Amino acid sequence: MNFFFCYLLAVNVAGFLLFGVDKSRARKHRWRIPERVLFAAAWIGGSLGCLAGMYGFRHKTRHRTFVIGIPAIFLLQCFLLAGFVYRYLL
């Protein structure tokens, strides 16, 4: 169980930082992080960090795919986690 929480912490910090780095690169007109990488970070468990990075850095907040997609991934992961906890831990 400890490994799971360490994994979630690491992947959420990485998701948050990816949005920050991409925002910084966008301002400098430099090479950007592909959108599929940002979504992949959310899919592998970093959706909360990605959501925090998205609104914390005000990055990708005008893109409908991100405004709908990242919170949807987060909600799906919350439901899956709640189902797992209910079925196996309670």
Side-chain angles (χ1 to χ4, degrees), residues 6-76:
C6 289
Y7 169 78
L8 283 180
L9 178 65
V11 75
N12 278 286
V13 168
F16 182 81
L17 293 175
L18 281 172
F19 273 83
V21 168
D22 194 46
K23 176 70 175 196
S24 175
R25 290 180 177 180
R27 286 182 174 167
K28 297 175 184 176
H29 303 287
R30 296 179 64 202
W31 175 83
R32 305 279 302 279
I33 297 172
E35 291 183 355
R36 69 175 183 261
V37 172
L38 298 174
F39 271 109
W43 276 113
I44 64 171
S47 57
L48 183 60
C50 290
L51 192 60
M54 191 170 90
Y55 286 104
F57 296 111
R58 295 184 196 148
H59 189 52
K60 301 285 188 187
T61 55
R62 293 185 184 181
H63 296 263
R64 181 165 286 192
T65 55
F66 281 90
V67 171
I68 294 171
I70 300 293
I73 294 169
F74 175 68
L75 289 175
L76 175 67

Side-chain angles (χ1 to χ4, degrees), residues 29 43 48 79-80 85 90:
H29 303 287
W43 276 113
L48 183 60
F79 285 126
L80 290 173
V85 168
L90 293 180

